[in-house]
Amino acid sequence: LFNHDKKGALGSLWMTVHTINRGGGKADTDTETDPVIISSTSEAARATIDPKKAISVQKTIEVPFDVTTAFNAFSDLPRQAEYSPWIRYVQYIKPVPSHIDRGTLMGTEWQTRWCVGLFGFAIRWKANVTKIERPSVLEWESVSGMKNYGRVVFSQTDDDSKTTLCTMTMTFIAPSFIASLFRKSTGLRNYVQNQMVAKTLRNYRDIVA
């Protein structure tokens, strides 16, 4: 039963990736493509997004280091490729001088280029960091490619200043039938949350520790 559920989840995930790329993306290649071109979405504008198209996942993990260390390691965006086996690279489009703290960079001036590899497809987008409340909150949003936005909250645990709770929330905007499939398929939802998001957070914890 477990293997059947896992195969079903992987099949649904493949169909999701294939559908997203069908609008202009290509199979695995080094050439950047933007299947869907979008503009930056303000918080107010997000409220107008059809909830039937939104796919949201959230995961929390406790890490064995203080909140400042947690924030600094996560906000150094190119390091995301170290934490996630699916992220091929994260690059600042504009070179960052060595004396600048990457945890302070936000807005269109410090845009990043992301590439995720799944099932032979390369999914790419560009993103801006839209909010920094150091060392507690980091928010981002895509400005081209696959529409997505997210937020990570870092909070000190009540009993120990040397441990931190990290809660990551990610939202992707997909065709309605894909979003509906995600909500109805427990296997697919669990796979994304536990095998993709949670695994990334565990790797982040283990590497930084």
Side-chain angles (χ1 to χ4, degrees):
L1 178 61
F2 173 79
N3 288 337
H4 174 76
D5 288 347
K6 186 173 181 181
K7 288 179 180 178
L10 290 173
S12 298
L13 186 59
W14 180 90
M15 185 172 72
T16 301
V17 173
H18 177 70
T19 301
I20 289 171
N21 278 273
R22 198 170 54 183
K26 298 179 180 179
D28 201 354
T29 172
D30 290 334
T31 302
E32 180 171 357
T33 58
D34 288 337
V36 181
I37 304 301
I38 65 168
S39 59
S40 183
T41 310
S42 67
E43 191 168 326
R46 286 180 193 168
T48 67
I49 293 174
D50 185 350
K52 294 181 180 178
K53 296 183 178 181
I55 296 174
S56 294
V57 293
Q58 184 180 87
K59 207 70 181 177
T60 298
I61 190 171
E62 183 174 306
V63 296
F65 34 87
D66 64 86
V67 68
T68 299
T69 300
F71 180 90
N72 288 346
F74 202 94
S75 62
D76 187 356
L77 297 180
R79 294 195 67 185
Q80 293 297 320
E82 296 180 46
Y83 310 144
S84 173
W86 294 276
I87 296 177
R88 294 185 179 177
Y89 60 77
V90 180
Q91 302 169 337
Y92 284 100
I93 295 175
K94 173 183 175 180
V96 179
S98 59
H99 67 278
I100 292 182
D101 181 356
R102 289 177 173 177
T104 65
L105 304 180
M106 62 181 294
T108 56
E109 182 182 2
W110 298 108
Q111 202 168 88
T112 48
R113 181 183 291 111
W114 295 66
C115 179
V116 171
L118 285 172
F119 302 108
F121 290 101
I123 305 173
R124 299 176 175 85
W125 66 86
K126 295 175 184 175
N128 296 336
V129 172
T130 55
K131 184 176 183 179
I132 294 175
E133 292 181 4
R134 191 186 187 101
S136 302
V137 178
L138 180 72
E139 295 183 359
W140 68 91
E141 180 177 14
S142 66
V143 295
S144 73
M146 184 173 65
K147 187 173 180 62
N148 68 92
Y149 54 90
R151 171 183 175 93
V152 183
V153 177
F154 306 89
S155 56
Q156 181 181 307
T157 56
D158 294 335
D159 56 345
D160 188 355
S161 62
K162 293 184 180 180
T163 60
T164 303
L165 288 178
C166 301
T167 299
M168 181 164 67
T169 305
M170 299 180 65
T171 300
F172 300 91
I173 308 304
S176 297
F177 80 95
I178 290 294
S180 176
L181 174 65
F182 183 85
R183 284 189 291 270
K184 292 177 180 178
S185 172
T186 301
L188 174 59
R189 188 167 59 252
N190 287 343
Y191 185 85
V192 173
Q193 289 180 332
N194 298 323
Q195 297 299 319
M196 299 183 72
V197 178
K199 186 171 184 177
T200 296
L201 289 176
R202 289 194 299 268
N203 289 347
Y204 155 73
R205 175 196 62 197
D206 297 342
I207 291 170
V208 177

